[in-house]
Amino acid sequence: MAEGTPRLRCACGIDVHAHMVPAEFPAYLGSKVPAQWPSTAAAPDAGGLCHRRVMIAGKNYRTVSEKCWSVTRRLADLPEMGLAHQALSPMPELLSYWMEPPDAQQLLRYLNEQIASMVAESGGVLIGMGAVPLQDIDLAIAELRHAVETLGFAGVEIGSNVNGTPIGDPRFDPFFEACEALDAAVFVHALKPTGMDRLVGPAPLQQVLAYPTDVGLAAASVITGNLLMRRPKLRIAFSHGGGTLAMLLPRLQQGWGVFPALKEQVQASPVEQARRLFYDTLVFDSSTLAHLVAQFGATQLMVGTDYPFNFHEHAPLARIESAGLGADVADHLIDGNARRFLARAFASTKH
């Protein structure tokens, strides 16, 4: 990195991709507990941290540490990671699109309230990104309004698909219209990805290989579905560097110029549309990060870590430095782009 970039040594970054899990889940308030209703169970301590198992459908989905719910533990880690702020969203498996909508809404309201409590305890360091029952558009919009207008969140996290339907499908347009009207940021995370039947190996390959595939297809669906043509002020970001989109995009652009049906469907250049989306930097490779900046533009990438899970980026600013992007580009990636994306969280401050 060129001299004169001391910000890469400071605790000034903004992480748009970090998750929470509550220490406990609420008791179900209805008459019959949904099979997928989560719970937690004690797990043996490891490394001085309290651990709990997240149980879904009677199985241990993931063992997590108290960093998922302890604000004190989380804030202690941020300076070493070079972070001044962190946007907080639920562990994606908790989005609960597969539940009956009223049941999901009950659970997600609890999670949103827990996030709000953590944000308040952090004294402004943490930024709220809520969850909504997107399997029911009306309930999703109602919970969006509660998260943004009542809890003061900067936006929401959504899955890359809703029970197999890609987010670029026009059926979700009323929800995105509401996000645009509320100036709410949307962060897209992989969820129940396609292609698991094509993987050979253990369960973690879902996170390692299938997540980026599903995120890439979700971003492509937003482009081919012309979402930003209808919602030009919508700020929507994709986890894991947009997944496979950077490799798919040249083919999509070429096909747009070759196939009349694609030209008719896609209302603007795929490359131009892609450069209006946001992406995190969570790709674990400096040369890949430099390629994403060249592909999507220096103004569209933001720090993402996947904290506090084991498979996370421990030194995100060092990754930016090693990509050799230059001081101005680094400034954009460290915090400038995230301030634009999470605009509601920084609306009252001057920069």
Side-chain angles (χ1 to χ4, degrees):
M1 201 71 173
E3 293 184 353
T5 57
R7 299 187 73 226
L8 291 171
R9 307 282 182 252
C10 74
C12 53
I14 301 173
D15 178 9
V16 303
H17 182 175
H19 298 301
M20 62 80 68
V21 178
E24 296 180 348
F25 290 93
Y28 177 65
L29 299 179
S31 59
K32 184 179 180 181
V33 180
Q36 297 286 328
W37 192 267
S39 63
T40 58
D45 285 1
L49 295 175
C50 173
H51 285 71
R52 296 183 72 83
R53 294 187 178 95
V54 180
M55 308 299 294
I56 299 177
K59 298 179 180 179
N60 180 15
Y61 173 74
R62 177 177 283 173
T63 299
V64 299
S65 81
E66 64 183 310
K67 292 182 179 184
C68 282
W69 59 83
S70 169
V71 173
T72 300
R73 287 281 193 179
R74 188 178 292 260
L75 296 187
D77 284 347
L78 297 189
E80 185 176 351
M81 297 173 70
L83 301 176
H85 297 282
Q86 190 174 70
L88 200 56
S89 57
M91 181 175 73
E93 188 69 20
L94 301 177
L95 291 175
S96 303
Y97 297 153
W98 39 91
M99 289 187 191
E100 290 298 317
D103 295 338
Q105 193 275 335
Q106 179 187 146
L107 176 62
L108 299 181
R109 174 61 61 91
Y110 175 81
L111 293 177
N112 289 340
E113 299 287 353
Q114 291 293 302
I115 291 173
S117 178
M118 294 176 71
V119 169
E121 185 180 345
S122 77
V125 173
L126 301 179
I127 297 166
M129 294 290 283
V132 300
L134 201 50
Q135 65 270 51
D136 184 302
I137 300 299
D138 291 339
L139 279 182
I141 292 173
E143 192 60 28
L144 170 72
R145 291 191 178 280
H146 178 77
V148 172
E149 297 180 330
T150 302
L151 301 181
F153 287 0
V156 292
E157 173 191 52
I158 67 172
S160 50
N161 69 87
V162 180
N163 300 321
T165 301
I167 60 169
D169 190 290
R171 74 184 70 181
F172 301 118
D173 196 57
F175 171 74
F176 290 122
E177 181 181 17
C179 291
E180 185 182 49
L182 290 167
D183 197 32
V186 179
F187 183 72
V188 181
H189 196 286
L191 181 66
K192 294 191 179 300
T194 189
M196 288 297 295
D197 58 328
R198 302 297 179 90
L199 298 179
V200 178
L205 285 178
Q206 173 175 294
Q207 301 171 54
V208 175
L209 298 180
Y211 273 13
T213 299
D214 216 65
V215 169
L217 293 175
S221 80
V222 164
I223 293 171
T224 60
N226 302 302
L227 177 60
L228 293 185
M229 300 298 100
R230 298 187 302 277
R231 307 290 160 220
K233 295 181 180 179
L234 179 68
R235 298 190 304 281
I236 183 168
F238 293 85
S239 61
H240 310 112
T244 56
L245 180 66
M247 293 299 292
L248 298 175
L249 191 58
R251 293 182 62 85
L252 182 55
Q253 182 69 29
Q254 181 70 12
W256 185 69
V258 170
F259 298 106
L262 264 179
K263 192 77 169 186
E264 181 178 354
Q265 166 65 26
V266 182
Q267 297 174 3
S269 160
V271 166
E272 292 177 6
Q273 291 194 61
R275 292 173 72 88
R276 293 169 58 189
L277 306 174
F278 288 85
Y279 312 86
D280 74 14
T281 59
L282 188 56
V283 293
F284 301 112
D285 179 71
S286 300
S287 60
T288 300
L289 179 56
H291 175 67
L292 294 185
V293 171
Q295 185 81 294
F296 299 136
T299 61
Q300 304 309 114
L301 280 101
M302 310 169 289
V303 171
T305 66
D306 225 341
Y307 178 97
F309 302 135
N310 290 335
F311 191 40
H312 81 264
E313 177 68 89
H314 293 265
L317 270 62
R319 184 74 67 187
I320 293 172
E321 179 177 18
S322 65
L325 301 169
D328 290 342
V329 173
D331 282 349
H332 285 306
L333 271 61
I334 290 169
D335 72 341
N337 297 338
R339 288 182 184 275
R340 289 171 38 237
F341 177 67
L342 302 169
R344 291 187 61 92
F346 300 101
S348 62
T349 60
K350 296 181 179 179
H351 314 292

